[in-house]
């Protein structure tokens, strides 16, 4: 009788098990790292939303609002959250008329239509104390008036000795910047229409990543402000103080399930409050307050400024595609404050 | 009749031993490589964790300014009690009235008190008139004195950074004092108050960069301090920050350009982009540094986070830098980022200093 023993098999199996356990530990470590990295990624996403929220406040202060009338939306310029002409509460139009049906500083209990005249479910932004503007963010396939991201339309030729002369080396034959759509000429009406309209479909990879909300604070909200030690530290109220909530997650900026149901958006979350709660638990939320000012900041030296520090210089070079304007025509911010605790209203 | 075999033949044994040896050696080599890989990965993971922790620490510091003023530790509030320029001094402590308007906290742009009235051109002498008649400190009319006095007040009490932070974003930081135009030392206050020889006038004239004004004969005209320069806190990349370095940067009276990454700080180099450093706000303030894992093994990487707040061309810049250094290889990694976060006034509100 031949008797074979499984020594080698046992040896190989043991070593394989050892390697497998090492691999599993490695994968677990990587997963842990990835989860921690995700936290940082969400933090970064949420902070990007702060910039978006601040810009929203600036743009809506003066660029204005589209008012719906007879099915048409008419853009109307506004004159700031605090009207620079007389200090009245904005937004108001060029004639000084309020863009809302009633005083935007009225209490939330006043039945108040939304700014475009279509809302009916109580007060909406920008009424002080009204329901916050909810802005889920995504990237469009091609935004309206998009310019191409070509870095250098007129690159300098590699001719250190300048044998071809400066006129050849440094030239501006190509317009800079150029539209992201191809135009066949100045009279390309179709191309211009595409350029103007853009392709506003959201890129699916950018959906449900981040959002922000803007809430216009009331006197009571400012009174309830707390310092880092948790003590009440009232803010001096003005109608231009906003709570900006920045989120990174897939709730779309809905604060509660009741908000979801108010907007009839249950199907977005499979009609499942528990699923919504899970999304809420996974997302990052940062709370800021900021006060807008009609003062348009800027310098007197350069109309277009490249004043970013060295470490930010790539964002503000003199290249036409990246040139930034030195004035804030949408106003500026007196202050921005990261709130240490979640406010009651946002 | 065959003889039953109770053992391997020698050849079988040799083959099996050889095969086993090969397998074991291969496995050992694999194990060794795997162990090394895991060690390396662990090290990278630690570095990544430190980097993440550093970025979080930087963000926290950008938002809450606790390195400058710790609301829970009175001994860590150096910017409240200096003889001058205290950006974290409670504003109403010793101020005139408990009135936000009087403190210029909420004066809107529609309010005539917020309108700057000065000579809009750089000029010498009084060929274009005496604009101090329009607005100056001590003027009989409230709306003609409010803004000059606000500039003066915020500069004296909070320092340059605080002045720029609190006052309207479109303001030209210049004002007239006295009944007959500008006193000869008008803007001397806007610099190192302990050394009148290094005032902004001297600085500005020395810079030769286009932003200067005259000192001496009256009346003085506009001081275009809208190029209020880099009010810095930290030294620059590539420079080891010590308190002395920091103080040199934040206290030096001459302009210095903001260096490119890797450049060595060197006072007196050519001016580029007027990245000036004339600040006193953060004098005596130590760097916002945090070294994680103080109790970790000595061979683990170290992390340092520094935060920089400065104003340039009336714009605020908030920059954080996270440096990871390996004590084994000496290799350093630097992540630098800027972020929008709490402004000085926001940080003061976090501490209830404007109550």
């Amino acid at each position: 009788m031949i008797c074979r023993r499984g020594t080698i098999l046992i040896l190989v199996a043991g070593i394989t098990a050892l390697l497998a356990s090492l691999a599993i530990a490695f994968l677990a470590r990587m997963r842990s790292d990835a989860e921690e990295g995700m936290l940082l990624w969400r933090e970064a996403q949420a902070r990007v939303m702060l910039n978006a929220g601040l810009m929203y406040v600036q743009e809506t202060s003066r660029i204005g609002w589209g008012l719906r009338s007879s099915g048409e939306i008419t853009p109307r310029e506004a004159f700031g959250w605090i009207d620079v002409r007389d200090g009245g509460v904005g937004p108001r139009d060029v004639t000084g008329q309020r863009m809302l049906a009633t005083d935007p500083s009225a209490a939330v209990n006043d039945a108040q239509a939304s700014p475009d005249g279509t809302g009916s479910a109580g007060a909406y932004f920008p009424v002080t104390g009204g329901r916050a503007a909810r802005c889920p963010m995504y990237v469009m396939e091609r935004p309206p008036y998009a310019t191409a991201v070509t870095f250098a339309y007129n690159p300098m030729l590699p001719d250190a000795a300048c044998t071809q002369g400066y006129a050849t080396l440094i030239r501006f034959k190509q317009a800079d910047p150029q539209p992201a759509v191809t135009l066949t000429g100045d009279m390309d009406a179709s191309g211009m229409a595409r350029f103007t309209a853009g392709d506003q479909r959201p890129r699916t990879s950018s959906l449900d990543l981040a959002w922000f909300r803007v809430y216009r604070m009331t006197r009571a909200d400012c009174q309830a402000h707390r310092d880092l030690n948790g003590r009440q530290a009232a803010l001096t109220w003005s109608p231009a103080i906003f709570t900006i909530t920045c989120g990174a997650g897939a709730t779309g900026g809905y604060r509660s399930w009741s908000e979801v149901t108010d907007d009839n958006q249950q199907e977005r979350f499979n009609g499942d409050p528990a699923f919504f709660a899970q999304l809420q638990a996974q997302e990052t939320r940062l709370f800021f307050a900021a006060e807008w000012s009609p003062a348009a900041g800027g310098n007197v030296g350069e109309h277009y400024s490249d004043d970013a520090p060295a470490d930010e210089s790539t964002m503000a070079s003199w290249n036409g595609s990246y040139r930034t304007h030195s004035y804030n025509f949408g106003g500026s911010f007196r202050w921005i404050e990261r709130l240490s605790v979640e406010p009651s209203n946002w | 009749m065959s003889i039953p075999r109770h053992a391997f033949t020698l050849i079988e044994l040799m083959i099996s031993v050889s095969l086993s040896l090969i397998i074991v050696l291969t496995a050992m080599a694999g194990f060794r490589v795997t162990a090394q890989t895991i060690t390396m990965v662990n090290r990278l993971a630690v570095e990544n964790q430190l980097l993440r922790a550093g970025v979080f620490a930087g963000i926290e510091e950008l938002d809450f300014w606790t390195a400058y003023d710790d609301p829970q530790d009175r001994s860590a509030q150096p910017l409240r009690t200096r003889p001058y320029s205290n950006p974290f001094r409670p504003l109403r402590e010793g101020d005139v009235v408990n009135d936000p308007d009087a403190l210029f906290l909420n004066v809107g742009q529609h309010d005539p008190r917020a309108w700057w009235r000065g000579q809009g051109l750089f000029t010498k002498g009084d060929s274009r008139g005496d604009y101090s008649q329009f607005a100056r400190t001590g003027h009989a009319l409230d709306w003609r004195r409010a803004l000059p006095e606000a500039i003066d007040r915020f500069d004296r009490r909070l320092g340059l950074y605080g002045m720029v932070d609190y006052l309207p974003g479109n303001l030209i930081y210049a004002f007239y004092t006295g009944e007959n135009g500008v006193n000869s030392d008008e803007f001397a206050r806007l610099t190192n108050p302990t050394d009148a020889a290094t005032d902004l006038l001297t600085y500005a004239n020395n810079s030769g960069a286009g932003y200067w004004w005259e000192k001496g004969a009256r009346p003085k005209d506009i001081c275009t301090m809208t190029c209020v320069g880099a009010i810095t806190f930290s030294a620059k990349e590539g420079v080891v920050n010590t308190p002395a370095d920091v103080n040199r940067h934040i206290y030096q009276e001459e302009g210095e350009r903001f260096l490119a990454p890797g450049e060595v700080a060197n006072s007196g180099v050519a001016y580029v982009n007027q990245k000036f450093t004339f600040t006193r706000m953060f004098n005596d303030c130590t760097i916002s540094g945090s070294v994680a894992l103080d109790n970790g093994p000595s061979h683990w990487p170290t992390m340092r986070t520094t935060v920089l707040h400065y104003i340039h061309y009336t714009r605020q810049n908030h920059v954080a830098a996270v440096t990871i250094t390996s004590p084994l290889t000496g290799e350093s990694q630097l992540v630098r980022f800027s972020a929008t976060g709490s402004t000085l006034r926001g940080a003061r509100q976090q501490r209830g200093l404007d109550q």
Side-chain angles (χ1 to χ4, degrees):
Chain A
M1 179 179 176
I2 300 174
C3 183
R4 302 276 186 180
R5 291 176 175 79
T7 310
I8 294 177
L9 185 62
I10 292 170
L11 205 62
V12 171
I15 292 170
T16 307
L18 197 61
L19 290 173
S21 63
L22 288 171
I24 289 171
F26 173 76
L27 290 175
R29 181 63 182 265
M30 289 301 97
R31 182 188 168 90
S32 168
D33 256 11
E35 285 173 346
E36 288 180 28
M38 188 65 76
L39 282 178
L40 187 63
W41 178 82
R42 287 200 188 114
E43 180 84 14
Q45 280 277 6
R47 295 200 74 86
V48 171
M49 290 300 98
L50 173 60
N51 290 55
L54 292 169
M55 287 183 196
Y56 178 82
V57 170
Q58 287 182 305
E59 292 179 1
T60 49
S61 72
R62 287 200 173 129
I63 291 179
W65 298 76
L67 299 187
R68 191 185 302 276
S69 175
S70 305
E72 295 290 322
I73 296 178
T74 309
R76 291 171 71 187
E77 183 182 358
F79 283 73
W81 298 111
I82 300 172
D83 199 309
V84 74
R85 296 167 296 189
D86 60 5
V89 178
R92 299 193 300 181
D93 65 13
V94 67
T95 66
Q97 298 297 310
R98 292 193 184 101
M99 288 182 160
L100 304 170
T102 58
D103 187 345
S105 64
V108 66
N109 291 331
D110 293 353
Q112 177 67 62
S114 59
D116 66 0
T118 60
S120 58
Y124 282 82
F125 183 84
V127 175
T128 50
R131 182 170 153 182
R134 184 183 60 82
C135 305
M137 300 296 283
Y138 57 85
V139 179
M140 295 177 187
E141 289 288 349
R142 191 184 68 254
Y145 304 99
T147 54
V149 293
T150 303
F151 185 78
Y153 286 97
N154 302 289
M156 186 179 288
L157 301 173
D159 180 10
C162 195
T163 56
Q164 302 174 70
Y166 286 114
T168 305
L169 280 178
I170 304 170
R171 52 189 180 164
F172 301 96
K173 293 177 73 173
Q174 304 293 328
D176 180 7
Q178 294 186 20
V181 298
T182 304
L183 300 178
T184 56
D186 293 343
M187 305 304 289
D188 180 4
S190 167
M192 280 302 295
R194 284 186 290 117
F195 173 62
T196 303
D199 181 352
Q200 300 187 37
R201 291 174 301 166
R203 292 183 191 172
T204 51
S205 60
S206 70
L207 285 170
D208 289 337
L209 295 181
W211 51 266
F212 68 86
R213 289 170 64 114
V214 179
Y215 167 80
R216 200 172 186 185
M217 291 170 73
T218 63
R219 290 181 190 275
D221 293 321
C222 289
Q223 279 291 325
H225 173 266
R226 296 193 175 274
D227 66 15
L228 289 177
N229 290 321
R231 292 186 298 254
Q232 185 175 352
L235 302 175
T236 304
W237 180 82
S238 90
I241 299 182
F242 301 89
T243 300
I244 299 173
T245 308
C246 310
T251 64
Y254 283 109
R255 182 178 180 180
S256 63
W257 183 251
S258 62
E259 275 193 6
V260 176
T261 55
D262 284 348
D263 285 3
N264 289 321
Q265 292 293 313
Q266 294 95 319
E267 72 277 9
R268 179 174 172 167
F269 304 100
N270 300 328
D272 183 359
F275 177 55
F276 177 76
Q278 186 182 1
L279 294 178
Q280 270 190 317
Q282 290 173 342
E283 72 181 4
T284 295
R285 293 177 179 178
L286 306 175
F287 300 95
F288 290 86
E291 182 176 1
W292 176 87
S293 162
N299 67 76
V300 296
E302 301 287 355
H303 192 53
Y304 289 98
S305 171
D306 67 336
D307 58 0
D311 50 308
E312 297 174 19
S313 58
T314 53
M315 297 168 64
S317 77
W318 271 99
N319 183 304
S321 300
Y322 305 93
R323 187 175 296 176
T324 56
H325 208 290
S326 62
Y327 288 86
N328 301 315
F329 293 121
S332 53
F333 288 94
R334 289 182 186 276
W335 51 266
I336 301 167
E337 178 189 349
R338 168 88 179 268
L339 302 176
S340 55
V341 294
E342 178 180 345
S344 301
N345 299 310
W346 52 272
Chain B
M1 179 180 177
S2 61
I3 301 172
R5 295 169 57 183
H6 295 289
F8 295 110
T9 65
L10 181 60
I11 292 178
E12 283 178 332
L13 193 62
M14 288 176 66
I15 290 173
S16 64
V17 167
S18 303
L19 285 174
S20 299
L21 202 61
I22 291 170
I23 291 171
V24 168
L25 286 176
T26 306
M28 281 183 62
F31 182 79
R32 194 175 168 203
V33 168
T34 306
Q36 287 174 337
T37 303
I38 288 176
T39 302
M40 182 65 73
V41 166
N42 278 339
R43 189 166 187 81
L44 286 173
V46 168
E47 288 183 5
N48 285 339
Q49 284 177 324
L50 280 176
L51 212 52
R52 284 194 293 270
V55 170
F56 274 120
I59 290 172
E60 286 287 299
E61 178 56 31
L62 286 170
D63 274 346
F64 294 110
W65 296 59
T66 47
Y68 297 90
D69 186 275
D70 188 340
Q72 296 176 333
D73 182 0
R74 284 186 177 276
S75 67
Q77 298 173 346
L79 301 176
R80 296 193 186 200
T81 53
R82 297 185 304 171
Y84 57 90
S85 183
N86 288 290
F88 282 93
R89 170 191 162 181
L91 195 57
R92 293 180 180 173
E93 183 181 288
D95 282 310
V96 279
V97 286
N98 187 18
D99 176 1
D101 266 10
L103 293 171
F104 221 82
L105 293 182
N106 281 61
V107 174
Q109 294 308 108
H110 62 281
D111 190 326
R113 290 176 298 170
W115 300 351
W116 186 82
R117 300 168 173 85
Q119 159 65 290
L121 294 169
F122 166 74
T123 181
K124 290 182 179 180
D126 55 1
S127 59
R128 290 177 173 83
D130 181 1
Y131 279 70
S132 68
Q133 301 302 314
F134 290 110
R136 63 174 180 270
T137 57
H139 200 286
L141 300 174
D142 172 44
W143 64 88
R144 295 191 184 279
R145 67 171 182 265
L147 188 56
E149 291 182 356
I151 298 173
D152 186 28
R153 181 167 55 241
F154 279 106
D155 168 58
R156 286 171 181 270
R157 296 177 184 176
L158 302 186
L160 279 175
Y161 193 107
M163 176 188 75
V164 176
D165 189 280
Y166 269 77
L167 293 174
N170 58 349
L171 180 62
I172 295 174
Y173 303 101
F175 63 96
Y176 293 97
T177 60
E179 190 65 31
N180 297 307
V182 181
N183 297 329
S184 60
D185 63 345
E186 176 185 8
F187 290 104
R189 284 197 305 274
L190 298 180
T191 183
N192 179 356
T194 64
D195 182 3
T198 59
D199 60 22
L200 286 184
L201 302 165
T202 306
Y203 151 75
N205 284 329
N206 284 348
S207 78
Y211 296 92
W212 63 87
W213 49 95
E214 293 298 310
K215 177 182 182 182
R218 105 177 160 77
K220 294 297 171 295
D221 291 316
I222 182 174
C223 154
T224 53
M225 274 184 57
T226 47
C227 83
V228 165
I231 297 183
T232 68
F233 167 55
S234 167
K236 294 146 187 156
E237 184 175 351
V239 178
V240 176
N241 292 313
T242 66
D245 288 328
V246 177
N247 287 343
R248 182 175 67 80
H249 277 283
I250 62 181
Y251 210 61
Q252 70 182 34
E253 62 278 9
E254 292 197 359
E256 182 173 357
R257 68 187 176 113
F258 204 95
L259 299 183
E263 272 188 291
V264 177
N266 177 23
S267 181
V269 296
Y271 300 110
V272 173
N273 291 336
Q274 295 89 48
K275 301 283 192 286
F276 295 129
T277 304
F278 57 96
T279 147
R280 67 189 188 201
M281 170 187 172
F282 295 124
N283 190 30
D284 304 328
C285 185
T286 53
I287 278 256
S288 160
S290 56
V291 179
L293 299 173
D294 283 342
N295 298 320
S298 59
H299 63 278
W300 279 22
T302 57
M303 181 270 284
R304 188 168 195 226
T305 301
T306 58
V307 166
L308 169 69
H309 300 279
Y310 64 94
I311 291 174
H312 182 64
Y313 282 102
T314 74
R315 290 165 180 271
Q316 299 193 14
N317 293 277
H318 309 276
V319 182
V322 182
T323 309
I324 306 290
T325 306
S326 167
L328 297 181
T329 63
E331 183 184 14
S332 271
Q333 303 172 53
L334 173 67
V335 174
R336 175 175 280 186
F337 61 95
S338 60
T340 305
S342 295
T343 60
L344 173 64
R345 184 169 168 184
R348 289 171 54 84
Q349 289 176 173
Q350 289 171 342
R351 292 153 177 79
L353 297 178
D354 289 352
Q355 296 299 299

